[in-house]
Amino acid sequence: PGFKRLLMNRGFTRDKIIFSIIFSILGILSSIITVPVNGIPANVRDLVVIVASFIGGPIVGIVSALVASLYRYFVVGGVTAFACSISTFLAGVFAILIYKWNNGKSLGLINSSVFVFLFLGFDFLLILLLTPHTSAIHLISYIYLPMTFADVFGMIIVSILIKETIKKDQDNLEIDDFSE
């Protein structure tokens, strides 16, 4: 019920707190559970933060972005820690701006997937600019395509689930209205 309320922009404070915690945990787990691509850990952390922002709005988005980015910087560390933590935080900020710009409505499958695709390009540009040059080029050459594919595919799945949840909820409202 809390998930549906958030999707319909009718979430209670309790829903926002619960989903902030859930998406923060998922943001941390996406830093821990990675897929090695030629020894380089690929993850879906930015996708988690973007989905949190699209579903839960500004509060859920900013909390999960902050937790995931701080975890990435202080706990995971590494040569890309600064760039990846900045990128994760910006994923939340940009997704919140898109959410607000779209009045809290679902972007749909194509627009949300294009946003994720474009953001991943920005993400890797940040890594290239904020990481020592040879490390950045090596990292990007191996994980750009797999991470981009995984994040866009994940957004497609989430978009379909959101669409079906909203459609089912609207169908239930129409049935309830008809029966009255």
Side-chain angles (χ1 to χ4, degrees), residues 67-90:
V67 169
S69 64
L70 290 173
Y71 183 86
R72 174 61 180 94
Y73 185 76
F74 289 109
V75 178
V76 177
V79 69
T80 61
F82 181 70
C84 289
S85 64
I86 294 295
S87 176
T88 298
F89 185 74
L90 290 176

Side-chain angles (χ1 to χ4, degrees), residues 11-180:
F12 302 134
T13 301
R14 178 186 73 228
D15 299 329
K16 292 175 185 177
I17 291 169
I18 290 169
F19 280 91
S20 292
I21 293 168
I22 290 170
F23 280 109
S24 292
I25 291 169
L26 290 174
I28 290 169
L29 287 175
S30 65
S31 290
I32 296 169
I33 302 168
T34 61
V35 175
V37 178
N38 291 324
I40 300 167
N43 64 73
V44 292
R45 183 179 48 254
D46 289 343
L47 175 65
V48 168
V49 170
I50 290 168
V51 169
S53 302
F54 285 171
I55 291 173
I59 293 172
V60 176
I62 205 69
V63 169
S64 61
L66 191 59
V67 169
S69 64
L70 290 173
Y71 183 86
R72 174 61 180 94
Y73 185 76
F74 289 109
V75 178
V76 177
V79 69
T80 61
F82 181 70
C84 289
S85 64
I86 294 295
S87 176
T88 298
F89 185 74
L90 290 176
V93 170
F94 292 158
I96 289 165
L97 291 173
I98 298 273
Y99 173 92
K100 295 295 259 179
W101 175 70
N102 204 42
N103 296 317
K105 296 178 187 148
S106 173
L107 286 180
L109 187 133
I110 293 173
N111 290 337
S112 60
S113 298
V114 167
F115 172 75
V116 169
F117 177 78
L118 292 174
F119 186 81
L120 265 286
F122 174 74
D123 178 4
F124 283 98
L125 177 63
L126 275 178
I127 291 171
L128 186 62
L129 295 173
L130 300 175
T131 304
H133 190 65
T134 54
S135 297
I137 291 174
H138 176 74
L139 179 126
I140 291 168
S141 68
Y142 284 116
I143 67 168
Y144 175 72
L145 288 176
M147 271 185 64
T148 302
F149 176 79
D151 282 18
V152 170
F153 186 71
M155 190 72 241
I156 290 169
I157 292 170
V158 169
S159 294
I160 291 169
L161 291 172
I162 289 171
K163 180 182 176 188
E164 290 301 313
T165 301
I166 290 171
K167 183 181 181 302
K168 186 177 178 182
D169 201 47
Q170 288 173 341
D171 289 347
N172 287 340
L173 286 175
E174 290 173 10
I175 291 169
D176 291 342
D177 290 343
F178 184 72
S179 64
E180 291 177 357

